[in-house]
Amino acid sequence: MFKNLTLKTSVIQAFCFAASGAVSGFAMVTLLSKGLTSTQVGILLAVSGAMAAVIQPLLGAWADKSEKVSPRLLLIAIVSSIIVLLLAFIFLPSNLLLMSLIYGIASALLLSLQPLINSLVFEYIDSGHPVNFGIGRGVGSLAYALSSFALGALLNIYKPSIIPYVAVITLIFLLLSILAMPVPPKKTRLENKPEEAQEIQNSDAFGFIKKYQHFLFFLLGIVFIFIFQSLSNGYLLQILRHVGGNDSDLGTT
């Protein structure tokens, strides 16, 4: 049951990154085709990122401290919710406000998946089952690149409305991959961790920052990296169009 965990978690990372590429990487293409302006899309993505910044630590703390709610269960619930939201985005009557709200929530929830996947991986590691975390992340990055290239090629044939369908299919495979994962033993979630790690996990965010003040500068650096990533992902399509590119070139870029 606990064999080939590196392969299994790599598959989860691959589908998660591929779904992120479809929903976030091609958000500008999808939303512009629905009638939003570039400014509106930029605001929507910014609000979505802010929502994710609030949701992620709350979900992480809940998963770490709860004996009943595990990262695996949270992943199943969140991925299912994203699928429902994207299906609503596809099939509900066109309404800019409603579509923006649905897409923004779906994007925020999708951004919240990665920390939970990391937590799931380290639950297996803490329970004594070896998992190569680096391979999984590498496979995820490769999947993002390949899926983006494939989506760009599809846009040469189909309209941008194909993108949410691709995202839903990818998320269904992600959900099946998570469901196929074995449940980590509950008793090992805290018992196998060093005393200092348990102390960190049981402390609040302010207590952690107070004790590890230099870590705050590292976090600020990560924040700036993600700001740049958000800007480049959000407005890369406009840059490409300005120099003569099109929607399909976004995948190649």
Side-chain angles (χ1 to χ4, degrees):
M1 182 180 292
F2 289 95
K3 294 181 179 179
N4 300 319
L5 285 178
T6 296
L7 174 61
K8 293 175 181 177
T9 55
S10 295
V11 171
I12 290 176
Q13 295 276 17
F15 285 127
C16 181
F17 273 79
S20 178
V23 175
S24 300
F26 284 80
M28 186 68 74
V29 177
T30 302
L31 296 172
L32 287 178
S33 70
K34 293 291 186 179
L36 275 71
T37 66
S38 300
T39 302
Q40 290 171 334
V41 175
I43 293 172
L44 176 61
L45 295 178
V47 172
S48 178
M51 289 171 58
V54 175
I55 293 171
Q56 286 179 10
L58 294 176
L59 289 175
W62 189 18
D64 283 337
K65 296 180 180 180
S66 174
E67 292 297 325
K68 295 181 179 180
V69 180
S70 66
R72 181 176 176 274
L73 287 177
L74 279 175
L75 283 168
I76 292 170
I78 293 173
V79 173
S80 300
S81 300
I82 298 171
I83 292 171
V84 172
L85 287 168
L86 289 179
L87 288 173
F89 179 82
I90 293 170
F91 294 110
L92 285 180
S94 296
N95 180 292
L96 287 184
L97 180 59
L98 181 60
M99 285 191 304
S100 300
L101 180 63
I102 291 173
Y103 202 91
I105 295 173
S107 180
L109 289 176
L110 185 57
L111 290 172
S112 303
L113 289 181
Q114 195 58 56
L116 291 174
I117 292 175
N118 296 345
S119 296
L120 178 64
V121 171
F122 283 102
E123 274 201 343
Y124 292 119
I125 294 174
D126 291 340
S127 64
H129 301 287
V131 180
N132 192 316
F133 182 75
I135 290 178
R137 291 305 297 265
V139 170
S141 298
L142 180 62
Y144 186 100
L146 293 176
S147 62
S148 296
F149 181 81
L151 269 176
L154 283 175
L155 289 175
N156 277 324
I157 306 171
Y158 301 100
K159 295 180 179 179
S161 57
I162 190 70
I163 297 173
Y165 289 96
V166 173
V168 168
I169 293 171
T170 306
L171 286 163
I172 289 173
F173 280 111
L174 173 59
L175 180 60
L176 293 174
S177 301
I178 297 169
L179 289 170
M181 295 296 291
V183 179
K186 289 184 178 180
K187 64 180 181 180
T188 60
R189 293 182 65 185
L190 284 176
E191 290 176 4
N192 288 345
K193 294 184 179 181
E195 183 177 343
E196 185 178 4
Q198 294 187 33
E199 181 182 344
I200 291 172
Q201 183 166 317
N202 291 326
S203 65
D204 57 25
F206 293 105
F208 176 84
I209 291 174
K210 184 178 180 181
K211 186 172 183 179
Y212 301 95
Q213 296 180 12
H214 292 89
F215 189 68
L216 181 61
F217 294 101
F218 173 77
L219 291 179
L220 286 174
I222 297 297
V223 167
F224 287 123
I225 289 174
F226 274 93
I227 289 174
F228 169 76
Q229 183 188 34
S230 178
L231 289 173
S232 60
N233 280 345
Y235 290 97
L236 183 58
L237 176 63
Q238 304 293 13
I239 296 171
L240 288 171
R241 287 180 175 178
H242 181 71
V243 296
N246 54 37
D247 293 353
S248 64
D249 293 324
L250 181 62
T252 306
T253 307

